[in-house]
Amino acid sequence: MPHTSPLDAAADGPFGPHNLPYGVFTTAGDPGRARIGVRIGDHVLDAGAAARALASADADLLCAPHLGPLMAAGRPVWRRVRRTLTAWLTDPAYRLDIEPHLHPLPEVTLRLPFEVADYVDFYASEHHAGNVGRIFRPDGAALTPNWKHLPIGYHGRAGTVVVSGTEIVRPAGQRKGPDDPSPVFGPSVRLDFEAEVGFVVGTPTRPGERVPLDALPDHVFGVCLVNDWSARDIQAWEYVPLGPFLGKSFATSVSPWIVPLDALEHARVAPPPRDTPLLPYLDDAGHQPWGLDLRLDVAVNGEVISRPPFAAMYWTAAQQLAHMTVNGATLRTGDLFASGTVSGPEPGQRGCLLELTWGGREPLKLPDGSALEYLHDGDEVSITAWAPGPGGTRVGFGEVSGRVAPALP
Amino acid sequence: MPHTSPLDAAADGPFGPHNLPYGVFTTAGDPGRARIGVRIGDHVLDAGAAARALASADADLLCAPHLGPLMAAGRPVWRRVRRTLTAWLTDPAYRLDIEPHLHPLPEVTLRLPFEVADYVDFYASEHHAGNVGRIFRPDGAALTPNWKHLPIGYHGRAGTVVVSGTEIVRPAGQRKGPDDPSPVFGPSVRLDFEAEVGFVVGTPTRPGERVPLDALPDHVFGVCLVNDWSARDIQAWEYVPLGPFLGKSFATSVSPWIVPLDALEHARVAPPPRDTPLLPYLDDAGHQPWGLDLRLDVAVNGEVISRPPFAAMYWTAAQQLAHMTVNGATLRTGDLFASGTVSGPEPGQRGCLLELTWGGREPLKLPDGSALEYLHDGDEVSITAWAPGPGGTRVGFGEVSGRVAPALP
């Protein structure tokens, strides 16, 4: 029987050598030692161990306990490391050296792969923002007057960003229905998910440095999936006039694998046509497009309930980064900015229950016969995605999942 | 002539041994080595060097290059270290050992004393929130319906918190007047300050742990002053519906000295009477009060233009911390939460130019004859404060100051 290698099995799959996302893992035998991993098929390459064994010049970066040093090293290093990894995982000459450093995926525990510096959440889907406007302000304009002029965003809580698989304890807080004389306190009764895409900043900026549209790949290390858990009842009562706070700050989940921006070259598409002229720092006409054709799947308890298309997002990550830095605000390694809920034009493409159930008024019927209005204790939400890769391949994203646990007493 | 010691000179002043705020400094002779300093009078004690010389059990904490390890060590350690420092700086037996480790204040450079984890900004002055409401919504209610039920807050940008003395480059961004057909881009023409008080979290929480009102001193390491620089024109155009973003994220200045919470025992006062019943987790009736009698001075180019009284704040730091954690959000060492603009009931007690000039419609007349509507390039804003200490002393705060530099091209 010929030697079969996990590397052969991986070749044409969503985690083939055209992808090579980065993560951080531990093993059951050595749970205290976090290591950088590179996913290949259903295995994880211990990148630091391989780099040591092969005397790579980048071994120090790859032996770190998280991605920070590699992220901070900048795009030329990212490209060099990616070329090295590609050679190790495709050139048969390396096979005998590499295979001892592969761990089967089920045998590792995936950790939060980087320390989140600042977390910013945008609101970049016209379909999402329009639906929310129609649900909450049925008699007014669906979009606020600023929406088509700038990518609206706000800062979220960096300290409660958690890795996929972390249990999400139902938050408690104040809520007040329109007919309640005063607010009541208790567990949220409108717990929702938001399917989003996150961009991870590697290269920081100097004070006052703005990031023009074309410089996105100089600063963004990679892309992950985000579930921006939202307690709609807490949020609705608190958010005027300073924005969402406790309705979001209890937890935000991210996928464990950071897909390098260079793996998404074949996913770049033009964003939707803009019907409102943009100020020069945001006007991407005549620039290489930074729309991305990522296809998301959202499943609750294993049943896919939505397929949001990221290509339908009005504002691109390049515009968001240009906007976020145009006032002189600096970027740090580890800054995470998320797209906001990804919703497409069709009902089956909406990225949160608020929209999917139209404010709770039209519960979803699940295949098992149950109705889903907002999330129940025990419900598990999983978001996955893929993007077109070279030669008909797919670039896979690791899933971001989380199960709702009962509120604390 | 008898020996005169800086320690004698300090005794009854605002930075006497009843205060002992912590900071981080470097010296011209060793600019790369950040050290923990304790202010005594007009001198700075090199706390790590003193701890080594005196073989203190806490030398490792005090030899760190920032306050993080000491902040994380928790209240029993904070109290022990404070007792030790008090003995060193008051007991004549230590004098010969301590004096070699005192640096005159003008000879040191003060640094950001801790790494900011998450930065939250509240909106806790009823006078400020009411004035802002009357300025922006003259025909509506001054306060939003939620204002008296919960301390409204939002997350700001932790990565752009800077230490006093850092130049503030005028931000650029989008603005749109009510009669402009579309937004324009350029340097902010309504740059403002906000005089605030900041609370620095030392002890983190465990997942799901709520911080009840009486547990404030178990988690808050100390207090500083904050200038939450605000570009009103950028803010006004962007902030609906998700809150302030680029109008604030360019810079937030903090004072270099963190006054220990234990130094403020004599400043504790009852907050203003509440006219709206509070949910139990926020109801501080029957608890020891956490209002604080801090007297702020705001000066522009050396002229005091306002004296905001912190004792007038409606929401206390204890309520803010209880609110911030009631949904299960965790605290990290280095979290900073600020009070929001401190404004009192009188016109001369307002904590920002937006209020002091009533939306720019009533420019301030400065003693030199000039008019101040919003900040000009070159203007310097300095905020100082003191609080009652034991035996008729004052507890001084280090100033937070910053000069406005022209916008980048």
Side-chain angles (χ1 to χ4, degrees):
Chain A
M1 186 173 133
H3 173 74
T4 59
S5 167
L7 301 180
D8 294 324
D12 298 321
F15 295 97
H18 55 285
N19 187 349
L20 303 184
Y22 293 99
V24 167
F25 72 100
T26 56
T27 60
D30 198 355
R33 188 161 67 91
R35 291 175 262 181
I36 294 177
V38 176
R39 181 161 172 183
I40 181 77
D42 293 330
H43 284 71
V44 179
L45 174 69
D46 182 333
R52 281 268 158 80
L54 288 159
S56 161
D58 294 310
D60 282 354
L61 292 176
L62 294 173
C63 286
H66 58 82
L67 293 174
L70 175 62
M71 287 162 53
R75 192 180 187 200
V77 174
W78 305 339
R79 300 188 76 143
R80 184 177 72 213
V81 170
R82 185 168 166 79
R83 279 195 305 268
T84 302
L85 290 166
T86 303
W88 291 350
L89 295 166
T90 57
D91 184 338
Y94 289 107
R95 190 154 286 190
L96 287 179
D97 292 305
I98 286 296
E99 287 188 349
H101 303 294
L102 294 175
H103 297 261
L105 196 55
E107 294 179 11
V108 306
T109 301
L110 295 166
R111 308 284 180 175
L112 190 67
F114 63 100
E115 192 181 343
V116 181
D118 271 300
Y119 165 48
V120 166
D121 193 25
F122 283 96
Y123 193 51
S125 162
E126 181 176 2
H127 306 292
H128 171 68
N131 286 337
V132 170
R134 282 183 283 273
I135 291 168
F136 284 128
R137 299 179 294 272
D139 302 324
L143 297 177
T144 51
N146 53 8
W147 202 91
K148 293 238 169 151
H149 292 281
L150 54 81
I152 293 175
Y154 69 101
H155 286 91
R157 191 161 186 83
T160 50
V161 175
V162 297
V163 72
S164 175
T166 306
E167 184 176 72
I168 303 303
V169 177
R170 180 181 299 272
Q174 293 194 24
R175 60 175 186 271
K176 182 179 171 300
D179 302 325
D180 292 338
S182 59
V184 297
F185 180 84
S188 170
V189 296
R190 295 192 175 186
L191 182 60
D192 199 354
F193 60 81
E194 290 190 342
E196 307 197 6
V197 173
F199 294 81
V200 180
V201 172
T203 315
T205 54
R206 299 178 303 276
E209 179 183 359
R210 295 172 182 153
V211 179
L213 292 170
D214 294 332
L216 178 81
D218 295 328
H219 292 275
V220 167
F221 175 76
V223 183
C224 62
L225 300 178
V226 176
N227 185 343
D228 179 32
W229 304 94
S230 299
R232 300 299 180 195
D233 40 0
I234 297 173
Q235 184 184 352
W237 170 232
E238 75 178 356
Y239 89 105
V240 175
L242 298 184
F245 186 36
L246 299 194
K248 304 271 194 175
S249 67
F250 55 98
T252 305
S253 301
V254 296
S255 60
W257 295 110
I258 312 299
V259 175
L261 208 58
D262 279 342
L264 297 173
E265 270 305 309
H266 294 264
R268 290 177 66 174
V269 293
R274 287 77 163 67
D275 50 22
T276 300
L278 292 174
L279 286 163
Y281 78 97
L282 290 174
D283 187 358
D284 55 0
H287 293 260
Q288 290 294 313
W290 271 113
L292 286 171
D293 181 16
L294 316 185
R295 329 272 178 99
L296 279 65
D297 269 8
V298 182
V300 174
N301 302 330
E303 298 290 344
V304 173
I305 61 167
S306 176
R307 299 191 188 278
F310 192 70
M313 301 298 273
Y314 193 86
W315 296 102
T316 70
Q319 291 172 313
Q320 290 165 347
L321 196 60
H323 186 61
M324 200 161 39
T325 58
V326 78
N327 70 340
T330 44
L331 299 175
R332 291 184 292 172
T333 299
D335 281 350
L336 169 67
F337 63 101
S339 61
T341 306
V342 182
S343 290
E346 305 298 327
Q349 298 178 327
R350 295 171 181 163
C352 63
L353 288 174
L354 174 68
E355 291 170 83
L356 286 162
T357 69
W358 210 253
R361 293 193 284 278
E362 301 168 13
L364 285 184
K365 292 231 169 47
L366 296 186
D368 67 2
S370 66
L372 184 64
E373 187 188 42
Y374 287 101
L375 295 170
H376 309 104
D377 291 348
D379 281 349
E380 181 169 47
V381 180
S382 293
I383 306 166
T384 56
W386 63 271
T393 59
R394 292 181 171 194
V395 175
F397 283 71
E399 76 174 5
V400 56
S401 69
R403 187 180 296 276
V404 178
L408 298 172
Chain B
M1 185 171 132
H3 173 73
T4 59
S5 166
L7 300 180
D8 293 325
D12 297 323
F15 295 97
H18 54 285
N19 187 346
L20 304 184
Y22 293 98
V24 168
F25 71 100
T26 56
T27 60
D30 199 355
R33 187 159 68 92
R35 289 175 264 181
I36 293 177
V38 175
R39 182 159 171 185
I40 181 78
D42 293 331
H43 284 71
V44 179
L45 174 70
D46 182 334
R52 280 267 159 80
L54 288 159
S56 161
D58 294 311
D60 282 353
L61 292 176
L62 294 172
C63 286
H66 59 82
L67 294 174
L70 175 61
M71 288 162 52
R75 193 180 186 200
V77 175
W78 306 339
R79 301 188 78 143
R80 185 176 69 212
V81 170
R82 185 168 167 79
R83 279 196 304 268
T84 303
L85 290 166
T86 302
W88 292 350
L89 295 166
T90 57
D91 185 340
Y94 290 107
R95 192 155 283 192
L96 288 178
D97 292 307
I98 286 296
E99 286 187 350
H101 303 296
L102 294 175
H103 298 261
L105 197 56
E107 294 179 12
V108 306
T109 300
L110 295 166
R111 308 282 180 176
L112 189 67
F114 62 100
E115 192 181 342
V116 181
D118 270 300
Y119 166 49
V120 165
D121 193 25
F122 282 96
Y123 192 52
S125 162
E126 180 176 2
H127 308 290
H128 170 68
N131 287 335
V132 170
R134 283 183 283 273
I135 291 168
F136 286 127
R137 298 178 294 271
D139 302 323
L143 298 177
T144 50
N146 53 7
W147 201 92
K148 294 237 169 151
H149 293 281
L150 54 82
I152 293 176
Y154 68 101
H155 285 91
R157 190 162 186 84
T160 52
V161 174
V162 297
V163 72
S164 175
T166 305
E167 184 177 71
I168 304 302
V169 177
R170 181 180 297 275
Q174 293 193 26
R175 61 175 185 271
K176 182 179 171 298
D179 301 325
D180 292 338
S182 59
V184 298
F185 180 85
S188 170
V189 296
R190 296 193 174 185
L191 182 59
D192 200 353
F193 60 81
E194 290 190 342
E196 306 196 8
V197 173
F199 294 80
V200 181
V201 172
T203 315
T205 54
R206 300 178 302 277
E209 179 184 358
R210 295 171 182 153
V211 179
L213 292 169
D214 294 330
L216 178 82
D218 295 328
H219 292 276
V220 168
F221 175 76
V223 183
C224 62
L225 300 177
V226 176
N227 184 342
D228 179 33
W229 304 94
S230 299
R232 300 297 181 196
D233 42 0
I234 297 172
Q235 185 183 350
W237 170 232
E238 75 179 356
Y239 90 104
V240 175
L242 298 185
F245 186 36
L246 299 195
K248 305 271 195 175
S249 67
F250 54 99
T252 304
S253 300
V254 295
S255 59
W257 295 110
I258 312 300
V259 175
L261 207 59
D262 278 342
L264 297 173
E265 268 306 308
H266 294 264
R268 291 177 67 173
V269 293
R274 288 78 162 69
D275 50 21
T276 300
L278 292 174
L279 286 163
Y281 77 98
L282 291 173
D283 188 358
D284 55 3
H287 293 261
Q288 290 295 311
W290 272 112
L292 287 171
D293 182 15
L294 316 184
R295 327 272 178 99
L296 279 65
D297 270 7
V298 182
V300 174
N301 302 329
E303 300 289 346
V304 173
I305 61 167
S306 177
R307 299 193 188 277
F310 192 70
M313 301 297 274
Y314 193 87
W315 296 103
T316 69
Q319 291 171 314
Q320 290 164 347
L321 196 59
H323 187 60
M324 200 163 37
T325 57
V326 78
N327 69 341
T330 44
L331 300 175
R332 290 183 294 171
T333 299
D335 281 349
L336 169 67
F337 63 101
S339 60
T341 306
V342 183
S343 290
E346 305 299 326
Q349 298 179 327
R350 295 172 180 161
C352 64
L353 288 173
L354 173 68
E355 290 171 84
L356 286 161
T357 70
W358 210 252
R361 294 193 284 277
E362 302 168 11
L364 285 184
K365 293 232 166 48
L366 295 186
D368 68 1
S370 65
L372 184 64
E373 187 188 42
Y374 287 100
L375 295 170
H376 310 105
D377 290 348
D379 282 349
E380 181 169 46
V381 180
S382 292
I383 306 166
T384 57
W386 64 271
T393 58
R394 292 182 171 193
V395 175
F397 283 72
E399 76 173 6
V400 56
S401 68
R403 187 180 295 279
V404 178
L408 298 172

